Every structure is written in structure tokens, then in C-alpha cells.
Amino acid sequence: ENLAVRGVNSIAAIQGGVIANEGSNNLNIRGGREEEVVFFVDGVKVIGASAVSQQAIQEQEMLIGSLPAKYGDAMSGVISITTKTGGSNFFGSLEGITSEVLAEYGYNLGSAAIGGPIVGGLSFFVAAEMQHMGDRDPRAIGATVLDENRIAALQQSPEVLRFLDENGDRQYLPLPGDLPEGTTLDDALASIATPDGWSLESPVPINGSEVEPIENFSQSPTLPNRNQDIARINGNVTFRPSSAISLRGTARYENLDQNLTFGNTLEDTERFTFAFDRFRTDNQKTFGVGGSWTHRLSNSTFYQLSADWSSFERYIHDPMFSNDVRDVLFLGDIDHEANA
């Protein structure tokens, strides 16, 4: 409640022996790789995303080294999360966060949780969270962006020809990008409205982006097409027919959509300046259900039976193409529906 961080991974990242990869949810514990960390939610091993919102966390335990035998498939660490459960009284919470007023990063989050009794010894708890980020990994120094109208013009005319005006100063005119194959230089010149007194300096076209004046660029705190949207919901139903027996069913769902751009290096962002519409889309869907039966035989003895089922799907692909890898076989087939 008092930490200045939110989320399961952020809480884990402040523990000793844990290194967090800034800008992602990857954790490295005691030098291990990220896939060597195992997550458990309500005793169920997580496949895909944990799908636990901030409002749902009741307790979070972290095990580093000397792991108990029941966590035999974990190599570097275990993060075990217990979610809230319903009781004899109703309770709930609402939360909203936005950066739209004071910053341009487009961070928005809304969450809600509610729990309470249903009938007899039956109770419930459910929590939902929606998150939107205009730039999922903003750069501390911002980014250079080019006016969208200029980018559209470059896409229409990616090359330019160099001319000398009546004063001998160098000028540039765009070369149309839709000229048919076999077009001669004379044909190309005939399609360009050349001002009187201008003469062709060189018949060799050059990249139009090389002659962009500095006033066409600007600095932005965010990059376009780097948004991230997350929707997650988790809940449980608990039945306690007696003080010694409890039956619990759980469910969780998370859908993540984000755009993956070139990267964060200087060379990557330079390429992105002229191709902000070229990116990969990353869609991840997680769904899981589980159930457990707990029987307390005495104050020091109990047994538990549990079962779960999980589904995780992830597609990373060019949004201008199909998300089915088999369609790559038809990449050059103009008549295939994936190339419409």
C-alpha cells in the first residue's frame, strides 16, 4: 500500500538480488535468465501473463535460492501471489490515473475491484484493469520527428532531381514515385513542372530525405505508433461449508496489444523518423482457470488438491500482412488474400 511502485513485477524488482530490465517486465534473479523465474497465482503456476491487477494483490511472496521441493521447476526464483478473496462484508475500490494534464506520454489507467458474500458460505472477488500508454517506452531525450505531411510527400516522391535556378542556386524538385517502368529522363522531366530559367544540374536522382530542411523536423517527447493497451481481469469464488473445508475456483484473463518499432539506438530512431508507419504489432492473450480443495485436519495438518488449465497465444507480425506464419509462403503472390 505504501510503495511508490505498482504491479507484481515492480514490487519484485526492488528486492535484493533482482535486476529489472527498464522498459519491460523482464526480471533477472541472482544472474538467472528471465525465463528462469516462475510465477504462481493462488497456488497455480502461471503460463503467459499473471493477469493480476494492483487492486487484486493480497500478498506477494518472493523466494530466492534454497527453493522448496514443490517449486522444483524454478531455477532462479519464485514469485508467489495470493489474490484477495470475498468475505462476510462487501468491499471495493476504484482507481484512475492519467498523465494527459501534465505530460504528453499518454499514460492512462483505470481499475476497479469488488468482493463480498453471495449466499451461505459462498463469497466472490473480482478485479479489472485497463491501461493505455501512448508511448510504452519513452526516451529520456525525446525523439526527432518529421511532419506527417512531409512524410506522405516523400512516400509519393521518394527521390528528387537537382536543378540550378536563374541565380545559380541549387534547388530540388520531387520525382514522382509512380512513373512506369522504362520511363526515360526526358519523360520524367516532362512530368515535372520546372520553373522558367531552371536547368538540370545532375540526371542522377537522390534520396529526398537527404535534402529535408531543418525546419521540417521537431522534437517530441514520444514516438508515434509505440502505443500499448492492456486489459486484465481476474477473480475467484470461494465456498466454505465449514471452518475446516474450503473450495475455491479462480479465473484470469489478459489481453495485451502493443506496437514494436525499430528500437532505441540512434540509428534506429533515425530510420524511424522517415518510416513511422512501419512497425510490428504484438498481441498476447492469456486465459486460465483453476480450482483447489483445502481440508484442514488439525491446527498443524492439512492437505490440498488443485487443478488448473491455461492458454497463452502470442502473435508478432506486420499489421500490413497476415498473423499466420503459413501465409509467408504467399508473400510474393499478388492474388493471395493476405496481400490485398
Side-chain angles (χ1 to χ4, degrees), residues 138-175:
R139 293 161 50 89
I141 60 174
T144 300
V145 296
L146 182 60
D147 180 76
E148 293 186 13
N149 293 327
R150 288 298 305 133
I151 292 181
L154 284 172
Q155 291 175 340
Q156 292 296 321
S157 302
E159 294 182 314
V160 297
L161 288 173
R162 289 167 287 177
F163 291 83
L164 295 177
D165 61 18
E166 61 273 9
N167 298 321
D169 296 325
R170 179 176 291 172
Q171 305 289 346
Y172 302 92
L173 291 178
L175 187 64

Short mmCIF file of all heavy atoms in Angstrom, two decimals, residues 138-175:
data_model
loop_
_atom_site.label_atom_id
_atom_site.label_comp_id
_atom_site.label_asym_id
_atom_site.label_seq_id
_atom_site.Cartn_x
_atom_site.Cartn_y
_atom_site.Cartn_z
N PRO A 138 9.05 5.56 -23.53
CA PRO A 138 9.54 6.87 -23.98
C PRO A 138 11.03 7.06 -23.68
O PRO A 138 11.54 6.57 -22.67
CB PRO A 138 8.68 7.86 -23.20
CG PRO A 138 8.21 7.10 -22.01
CD PRO A 138 8.07 5.69 -22.45
N ARG A 139 11.68 7.78 -24.56
CA ARG A 139 13.10 8.09 -24.40
C ARG A 139 13.27 9.32 -23.51
O ARG A 139 12.51 10.28 -23.62
CB ARG A 139 13.75 8.34 -25.75
CG ARG A 139 13.80 7.12 -26.64
CD ARG A 139 14.02 7.50 -28.10
NE ARG A 139 15.12 8.41 -28.28
CZ ARG A 139 16.38 8.05 -28.48
NH1 ARG A 139 16.68 6.77 -28.48
NH2 ARG A 139 17.32 8.93 -28.66
N ALA A 140 14.27 9.29 -22.66
CA ALA A 140 14.51 10.42 -21.76
C ALA A 140 14.85 11.69 -22.53
O ALA A 140 14.56 12.80 -22.08
CB ALA A 140 15.63 10.08 -20.78
N ILE A 141 15.46 11.53 -23.72
CA ILE A 141 15.87 12.70 -24.50
C ILE A 141 14.88 13.02 -25.61
O ILE A 141 15.13 13.89 -26.44
CB ILE A 141 17.27 12.48 -25.12
CG1 ILE A 141 17.26 11.25 -26.04
CG2 ILE A 141 18.31 12.32 -24.02
CD1 ILE A 141 18.57 11.05 -26.80
N GLY A 142 13.74 12.33 -25.62
CA GLY A 142 12.77 12.59 -26.67
C GLY A 142 13.20 12.00 -28.00
O GLY A 142 14.09 11.16 -28.07
N ALA A 143 12.58 12.45 -29.06
CA ALA A 143 12.87 11.91 -30.39
C ALA A 143 12.63 12.98 -31.45
O ALA A 143 11.83 13.89 -31.26
CB ALA A 143 11.99 10.70 -30.67
N THR A 144 13.36 12.86 -32.54
CA THR A 144 13.18 13.75 -33.67
C THR A 144 12.08 13.18 -34.57
O THR A 144 12.13 12.01 -34.96
CB THR A 144 14.48 13.87 -34.48
OG1 THR A 144 15.51 14.39 -33.62
CG2 THR A 144 14.29 14.81 -35.66
N VAL A 145 11.10 13.99 -34.88
CA VAL A 145 10.00 13.55 -35.73
C VAL A 145 9.87 14.49 -36.92
O VAL A 145 10.26 15.66 -36.86
CB VAL A 145 8.67 13.49 -34.95
CG1 VAL A 145 8.73 12.46 -33.84
CG2 VAL A 145 8.32 14.85 -34.38
N LEU A 146 9.33 13.95 -37.98
CA LEU A 146 9.12 14.70 -39.21
C LEU A 146 7.62 14.88 -39.41
O LEU A 146 6.83 13.98 -39.13
CB LEU A 146 9.73 13.96 -40.40
CG LEU A 146 9.65 14.63 -41.78
CD1 LEU A 146 10.37 15.97 -41.77
CD2 LEU A 146 10.25 13.72 -42.85
N ASP A 147 7.26 16.05 -39.90
CA ASP A 147 5.85 16.35 -40.14
C ASP A 147 5.21 15.27 -41.01
O ASP A 147 5.79 14.84 -42.02
CB ASP A 147 5.74 17.72 -40.82
CG ASP A 147 4.29 18.09 -41.08
OD1 ASP A 147 3.61 18.48 -40.13
OD2 ASP A 147 3.87 17.99 -42.25
N GLU A 148 4.02 14.82 -40.63
CA GLU A 148 3.36 13.73 -41.34
C GLU A 148 3.08 14.09 -42.80
O GLU A 148 3.11 13.22 -43.67
CB GLU A 148 2.06 13.35 -40.63
CG GLU A 148 2.26 12.73 -39.26
CD GLU A 148 0.96 12.26 -38.65
OE1 GLU A 148 -0.04 12.19 -39.39
OE2 GLU A 148 0.94 11.96 -37.44
N ASN A 149 2.80 15.35 -43.08
CA ASN A 149 2.56 15.75 -44.46
C ASN A 149 3.82 15.60 -45.30
O ASN A 149 3.75 15.23 -46.48
CB ASN A 149 2.05 17.20 -44.51
CG ASN A 149 0.68 17.34 -43.88
OD1 ASN A 149 -0.14 16.43 -43.94
ND2 ASN A 149 0.43 18.49 -43.26
N ARG A 150 4.98 15.90 -44.68
CA ARG A 150 6.23 15.76 -45.42
C ARG A 150 6.54 14.29 -45.67
O ARG A 150 7.06 13.91 -46.72
CB ARG A 150 7.38 16.40 -44.65
CG ARG A 150 7.35 17.91 -44.65
CD ARG A 150 7.48 18.50 -46.07
NE ARG A 150 8.66 18.01 -46.74
CZ ARG A 150 8.68 17.54 -47.97
NH1 ARG A 150 7.56 17.48 -48.70
NH2 ARG A 150 9.82 17.13 -48.52
N ILE A 151 6.24 13.43 -44.68
CA ILE A 151 6.47 12.00 -44.88
C ILE A 151 5.58 11.47 -45.99
O ILE A 151 6.02 10.69 -46.84
CB ILE A 151 6.20 11.24 -43.57
CG1 ILE A 151 7.27 11.60 -42.53
CG2 ILE A 151 6.17 9.73 -43.81
CD1 ILE A 151 7.10 10.88 -41.21
N ALA A 152 4.32 11.93 -46.03
CA ALA A 152 3.42 11.50 -47.11
C ALA A 152 3.95 11.94 -48.46
O ALA A 152 3.89 11.19 -49.44
CB ALA A 152 2.02 12.06 -46.86
N ALA A 153 4.52 13.16 -48.52
CA ALA A 153 5.08 13.65 -49.78
C ALA A 153 6.30 12.83 -50.19
O ALA A 153 6.49 12.54 -51.38
CB ALA A 153 5.45 15.12 -49.63
N LEU A 154 7.12 12.44 -49.21
CA LEU A 154 8.29 11.61 -49.53
C LEU A 154 7.88 10.23 -50.02
O LEU A 154 8.53 9.66 -50.90
CB LEU A 154 9.18 11.47 -48.29
CG LEU A 154 10.04 12.69 -47.92
CD1 LEU A 154 10.70 12.48 -46.57
CD2 LEU A 154 11.09 12.93 -48.99
N GLN A 155 6.81 9.70 -49.46
CA GLN A 155 6.35 8.39 -49.92
C GLN A 155 5.81 8.47 -51.34
O GLN A 155 5.93 7.50 -52.10
CB GLN A 155 5.29 7.86 -48.95
CG GLN A 155 5.85 7.49 -47.59
CD GLN A 155 4.77 7.08 -46.61
OE1 GLN A 155 3.60 7.41 -46.80
NE2 GLN A 155 5.14 6.36 -45.56
N GLN A 156 5.21 9.58 -51.68
CA GLN A 156 4.72 9.77 -53.04
C GLN A 156 5.88 10.02 -54.01
O GLN A 156 5.85 9.58 -55.15
CB GLN A 156 3.74 10.94 -53.10
CG GLN A 156 2.44 10.69 -52.37
CD GLN A 156 1.62 9.57 -52.99
OE1 GLN A 156 1.56 9.44 -54.21
NE2 GLN A 156 1.00 8.75 -52.15
N SER A 157 6.89 10.74 -53.53
CA SER A 157 8.05 11.08 -54.37
C SER A 157 9.31 10.85 -53.55
O SER A 157 9.88 11.77 -52.97
CB SER A 157 7.98 12.54 -54.83
OG SER A 157 6.79 12.79 -55.55
N PRO A 158 9.78 9.60 -53.47
CA PRO A 158 10.93 9.29 -52.61
C PRO A 158 12.25 9.86 -53.11
O PRO A 158 13.20 9.93 -52.34
CB PRO A 158 10.95 7.77 -52.59
CG PRO A 158 10.26 7.35 -53.85
CD PRO A 158 9.22 8.39 -54.12
N GLU A 159 12.32 10.25 -54.40
CA GLU A 159 13.57 10.78 -54.95
C GLU A 159 13.34 12.18 -55.51
O GLU A 159 12.21 12.56 -55.85
CB GLU A 159 14.11 9.87 -56.05
CG GLU A 159 14.54 8.50 -55.53
CD GLU A 159 15.12 7.64 -56.63
OE1 GLU A 159 14.51 7.58 -57.72
OE2 GLU A 159 16.17 7.03 -56.41
N VAL A 160 14.43 12.94 -55.59
CA VAL A 160 14.37 14.30 -56.14
C VAL A 160 15.48 14.47 -57.17
O VAL A 160 16.48 13.74 -57.16
CB VAL A 160 14.52 15.36 -55.03
CG1 VAL A 160 13.37 15.29 -54.05
CG2 VAL A 160 15.86 15.22 -54.30
N LEU A 161 15.27 15.44 -58.05
CA LEU A 161 16.29 15.83 -59.02
C LEU A 161 16.82 17.21 -58.65
O LEU A 161 16.09 18.06 -58.14
CB LEU A 161 15.70 15.87 -60.44
CG LEU A 161 15.39 14.51 -61.07
CD1 LEU A 161 14.65 14.71 -62.39
CD2 LEU A 161 16.67 13.71 -61.30
N ARG A 162 18.11 17.41 -58.90
CA ARG A 162 18.77 18.68 -58.56
C ARG A 162 18.76 19.61 -59.78
O ARG A 162 19.11 19.21 -60.88
CB ARG A 162 20.20 18.42 -58.11
CG ARG A 162 20.32 17.75 -56.75
CD ARG A 162 21.71 17.24 -56.49
NE ARG A 162 21.98 16.05 -57.29
CZ ARG A 162 23.15 15.41 -57.31
NH1 ARG A 162 24.14 15.86 -56.59
NH2 ARG A 162 23.31 14.34 -58.05
N PHE A 163 18.36 20.86 -59.50
CA PHE A 163 18.32 21.89 -60.53
C PHE A 163 19.11 23.10 -60.06
O PHE A 163 19.38 23.28 -58.87
CB PHE A 163 16.87 22.31 -60.83
CG PHE A 163 16.04 21.26 -61.52
CD1 PHE A 163 15.42 20.25 -60.80
CD2 PHE A 163 15.89 21.29 -62.89
CE1 PHE A 163 14.65 19.30 -61.43
CE2 PHE A 163 15.10 20.34 -63.53
CZ PHE A 163 14.49 19.34 -62.81
N LEU A 164 19.46 23.93 -61.02
CA LEU A 164 20.04 25.25 -60.74
C LEU A 164 19.04 26.29 -61.21
O LEU A 164 18.57 26.25 -62.36
CB LEU A 164 21.38 25.43 -61.46
CG LEU A 164 22.52 24.50 -61.02
CD1 LEU A 164 23.77 24.74 -61.87
CD2 LEU A 164 22.84 24.70 -59.54
N ASP A 165 18.70 27.24 -60.30
CA ASP A 165 17.74 28.27 -60.71
C ASP A 165 18.43 29.37 -61.49
O ASP A 165 19.63 29.27 -61.82
CB ASP A 165 17.00 28.82 -59.48
CG ASP A 165 17.94 29.47 -58.47
OD1 ASP A 165 19.09 29.81 -58.84
OD2 ASP A 165 17.53 29.66 -57.30
N GLU A 166 17.68 30.43 -61.80
CA GLU A 166 18.23 31.50 -62.63
C GLU A 166 19.38 32.23 -61.96
O GLU A 166 20.20 32.88 -62.65
CB GLU A 166 17.12 32.50 -63.00
CG GLU A 166 16.48 33.18 -61.79
CD GLU A 166 15.34 32.38 -61.21
OE1 GLU A 166 15.16 31.21 -61.64
OE2 GLU A 166 14.62 32.92 -60.36
N ASN A 167 19.53 32.10 -60.64
CA ASN A 167 20.64 32.74 -59.93
C ASN A 167 21.80 31.79 -59.69
O ASN A 167 22.79 32.16 -59.05
CB ASN A 167 20.15 33.27 -58.57
CG ASN A 167 19.07 34.33 -58.73
OD1 ASN A 167 19.15 35.18 -59.64
ND2 ASN A 167 18.06 34.28 -57.87
N GLY A 168 21.70 30.56 -60.19
CA GLY A 168 22.75 29.57 -59.99
C GLY A 168 22.67 28.84 -58.66
O GLY A 168 23.59 28.08 -58.33
N ASP A 169 21.60 29.05 -57.90
CA ASP A 169 21.45 28.35 -56.63
C ASP A 169 20.80 26.99 -56.85
O ASP A 169 19.93 26.82 -57.71
CB ASP A 169 20.58 29.18 -55.67
CG ASP A 169 21.23 30.51 -55.33
OD1 ASP A 169 22.48 30.53 -55.22
OD2 ASP A 169 20.50 31.51 -55.16
N ARG A 170 21.22 26.03 -56.02
CA ARG A 170 20.71 24.67 -56.16
C ARG A 170 19.28 24.59 -55.60
O ARG A 170 18.99 25.07 -54.52
CB ARG A 170 21.60 23.68 -55.43
CG ARG A 170 21.12 22.22 -55.51
CD ARG A 170 22.10 21.28 -54.85
NE ARG A 170 23.34 21.20 -55.64
CZ ARG A 170 24.43 20.56 -55.23
NH1 ARG A 170 24.43 19.97 -54.05
NH2 ARG A 170 25.51 20.51 -55.99
N GLN A 171 18.41 23.93 -56.36
CA GLN A 171 17.02 23.69 -55.97
C GLN A 171 16.68 22.22 -56.23
O GLN A 171 17.38 21.54 -56.99
CB GLN A 171 16.07 24.60 -56.74
CG GLN A 171 16.37 26.07 -56.66
CD GLN A 171 16.08 26.64 -55.29
OE1 GLN A 171 15.42 26.01 -54.48
NE2 GLN A 171 16.58 27.85 -55.03
N TYR A 172 15.61 21.75 -55.60
CA TYR A 172 15.23 20.34 -55.74
C TYR A 172 13.75 20.25 -56.12
O TYR A 172 12.92 21.00 -55.60
CB TYR A 172 15.45 19.58 -54.42
CG TYR A 172 16.88 19.64 -53.93
CD1 TYR A 172 17.29 20.63 -53.05
CD2 TYR A 172 17.82 18.69 -54.34
CE1 TYR A 172 18.59 20.69 -52.58
CE2 TYR A 172 19.12 18.75 -53.90
CZ TYR A 172 19.51 19.75 -53.01
OH TYR A 172 20.81 19.81 -52.57
N LEU A 173 13.46 19.33 -57.02
CA LEU A 173 12.08 19.06 -57.40
C LEU A 173 11.81 17.57 -57.24
O LEU A 173 12.66 16.73 -57.60
CB LEU A 173 11.81 19.49 -58.84
CG LEU A 173 11.80 21.00 -59.11
CD1 LEU A 173 11.57 21.26 -60.59
CD2 LEU A 173 10.73 21.69 -58.27
N PRO A 174 10.65 17.21 -56.69
CA PRO A 174 10.35 15.79 -56.46
C PRO A 174 10.14 15.03 -57.75
O PRO A 174 9.56 15.53 -58.72
CB PRO A 174 9.07 15.84 -55.62
CG PRO A 174 8.44 17.15 -55.95
CD PRO A 174 9.57 18.10 -56.21
N LEU A 175 10.65 13.80 -57.75
CA LEU A 175 10.48 12.90 -58.88
C LEU A 175 9.34 11.95 -58.54
O LEU A 175 9.41 11.23 -57.56
CB LEU A 175 11.77 12.12 -59.12
CG LEU A 175 11.84 11.24 -60.37
CD1 LEU A 175 11.76 12.10 -61.64
CD2 LEU A 175 13.12 10.43 -60.37
#
